[in-house]
Amino acid sequence: MMMMSSDKFALFLKINYNIVMHFKPFVFALLILFITPAVFAQEADNNNKTSDTQLSEPSELQIFRKAFPDTTFTATYSERLEDWLITVSCPTTPITTANPATSSKRREITFCWCEGRLIPEAELKRKSHYLPVLEEYPFGGELQSPSTYTKAQIEEYRQAGLASARKNEPFASQFLSDFMYYGSSRKSVEQHLARIKFLGHKVTVNEFIIEPLARVEKRILEERKTSTTIDTFLKGIDHMDGYNWREIRDVERKSLHGTAIAIDFLPIKMNKYMYWRWTKDILGDKWMLASLKSRWMPPYEIINIFEEEGFIWGGKWLIWDNMHFEYRPELIEFYKQTHTEKQ
């Protein structure tokens, strides 16, 4: 390899330096042309990642929107709280098929999402007291025979029935239902009650569940024409209980009878087990093992109709209440969406 002399090397550097400086504007233009778009692309990518991770509203809101089509759920992210604020807007009075026009009068409230609890900001310090609004409910199907319970299941029932556990355990947040059905105070809910006739019995309920109950009644009466089981059951009903401003026994929270979105069927003959507490008073710690035949309960045809119209049946709870139905369309929709996704 030939070595360049020091004089020639110095001349080489000078010539190349002059060339670079001569074409300096062109060189900088090339740098801007090729480097700047890459920088902006990286910045845009970072922004998109932030948007994907921080600005995607809770997917469960779609469940609420489908369960309550007349109510809007708007999500806004709060940097201060590092959580979503959910603004709920619903009609001041029910929108029915007889009055389908959208009500011009609406009311609003804003909750903190708080992992699905939907609680006021003032309750954030007590968030451990509340469970998410959406909870698992076994839509459809029939009850498992107590004779097939495992030891673990029996213990789960036993624990659920302990007064200490019932009083201290967290419970599903009711702030949303209290807002939608005016259940925050006795005075407010009693301004939205109606005395109706349902399946031949008078019962006081919240005006917002009159139409769902009407759909249930229409379907049950249609099925009754060809079902001796349904006919016999309905003839055996003495009366129904609806609105009752009270707390649940053993716990310090309001029953949904206090919001007037629940009804109880009371039979003429009280000769079977129908409520876990009354059964425990008789059978003691083996209350959960009472056979299905020894329990009073509505026919599954009636239970299915209620569920399909947005009601849940208390007979499917661990601490079962076979006379009880309550309007919870969000739980029915939650089951449908989550179990459809699993399939």
Side-chain angles (χ1 to χ4, degrees):
M1 180 184 298
M2 295 181 59
M3 300 294 296
M4 186 181 295
S5 68
S6 59
D7 291 339
K8 289 182 178 180
F9 183 67
L11 180 62
F12 173 79
L13 289 177
K14 183 176 181 180
I15 293 172
N16 280 278
Y17 174 79
N18 289 336
I19 292 173
V20 170
M21 294 305 294
H22 179 74
F23 291 101
K24 182 178 180 181
F26 178 71
V27 171
F28 279 109
L30 287 176
L31 289 173
I32 292 173
L33 180 64
F34 289 104
I35 295 177
T36 302
V39 171
F40 276 103
Q42 182 63 42
E43 182 67 23
D45 184 57
N46 290 338
N47 288 339
N48 286 337
K49 288 179 181 178
T50 301
S51 175
D52 289 343
T53 57
Q54 295 184 0
L55 300 180
S56 296
E57 68 172 28
S59 59
E60 295 92 335
L61 287 181
Q62 294 301 329
I63 294 173
F64 289 104
R65 289 169 181 144
K66 192 163 183 180
F68 304 106
D70 299 326
T71 300
T72 62
F73 296 83
T74 305
T76 307
Y77 191 77
S78 169
E79 295 287 351
R80 177 176 62 88
L81 297 175
E82 296 184 337
D83 193 11
W84 289 93
L85 296 178
I86 311 300
T87 300
V88 183
S89 173
C90 61
T92 56
T93 56
I95 297 176
T96 65
T97 52
N99 180 27
T102 302
S103 173
S104 58
K105 295 182 179 180
R106 299 181 71 84
R107 51 207 166 93
E108 284 189 358
I109 194 171
T110 298
F111 296 115
C112 297
W113 176 246
C114 196
E115 298 178 309
R117 293 177 177 88
L118 287 170
I119 59 177
E121 183 177 341
E123 291 291 321
L124 286 176
K125 292 181 179 180
R126 301 179 67 250
K127 67 180 182 180
S128 62
H129 291 256
Y130 306 108
L131 296 174
V133 175
L134 298 177
E135 54 186 335
E136 187 70 24
Y137 172 79
F139 171 76
E142 299 185 359
L143 297 179
Q144 178 185 353
S145 171
S147 64
T148 66
Y149 288 169
T150 64
K151 290 182 179 180
Q153 286 177 303
I154 293 173
E155 180 60 19
E156 185 179 14
Y157 276 98
R158 192 188 71 81
Q159 289 291 334
L162 294 176
S164 57
R166 283 166 52 73
K167 187 173 183 178
N168 298 321
E169 67 182 1
F171 55 91
S173 166
Q174 293 184 0
F175 293 103
L176 176 62
S177 61
D178 279 347
F179 170 70
M180 295 184 68
Y181 305 115
Y182 296 94
S184 57
S185 72
R186 183 169 188 168
K187 181 179 179 180
S188 63
V189 74
E190 288 185 352
Q191 294 174 354
H192 296 274
L193 301 179
R195 186 76 171 166
I196 66 170
K197 197 170 185 179
F198 178 65
L199 295 172
H201 300 273
K202 290 184 178 180
V203 61
T204 301
V205 298
N206 195 296
E207 62 183 354
F208 280 86
I209 71 166
I210 293 175
E211 187 157 282
L213 283 176
R215 295 195 299 267
V216 170
E217 180 180 55
K218 182 178 179 181
R219 292 182 60 184
I220 289 177
L221 293 180
E222 185 63 30
E223 290 291 324
R224 182 182 192 176
K225 296 176 182 178
T226 57
S227 172
T228 55
T229 302
I230 292 178
D231 183 62
T232 301
F233 172 78
L234 294 179
K235 287 178 178 177
I237 300 301
D238 181 71
H239 67 280
M240 295 185 187
D241 285 343
Y243 171 67
N244 184 1
W245 185 267
R246 62 175 175 82
E247 289 187 343
I248 302 171
R249 183 177 172 179
D250 295 333
V251 297
E252 297 175 357
R253 65 178 183 272
K254 184 176 81 279
S255 161
L256 287 185
H257 281 284
T259 314
I261 61 172
I263 62 170
D264 288 345
F265 285 75
L266 283 303
I268 297 171
K269 294 182 179 180
M270 305 280 283
N271 57 355
K272 287 190 173 186
Y273 304 124
M274 59 188 304
Y275 179 52
W276 79 275
R277 164 68 66 180
W278 303 339
T279 307
K280 186 177 182 180
D281 290 341
I282 299 171
L283 301 181
D285 286 341
K286 294 184 178 180
W287 61 269
M288 74 292 294
L289 297 177
S291 68
L292 297 184
K293 287 185 178 180
S294 70
R295 302 183 192 183
W296 179 93
M297 64 177 68
Y300 283 113
E301 297 95 319
I302 287 180
I303 295 168
N304 292 339
I305 289 173
F306 266 99
E307 289 184 341
E308 288 164 6
E309 296 299 340
F311 291 81
I312 64 172
W313 177 50
K316 291 185 176 180
W317 295 335
L318 280 176
I319 43 177
W320 36 271
D321 186 353
N322 289 3
M323 68 189 98
H324 182 93
F325 289 92
E326 63 186 43
Y327 188 59
R328 300 293 304 280
E330 71 278 19
L331 299 191
I332 302 298
E333 189 59 36
F334 179 54
Y335 176 92
K336 290 179 179 178
Q337 291 204 19
T338 55
H339 284 261
T340 297
E341 290 172 1
K342 290 177 183 179
Q343 294 173 0

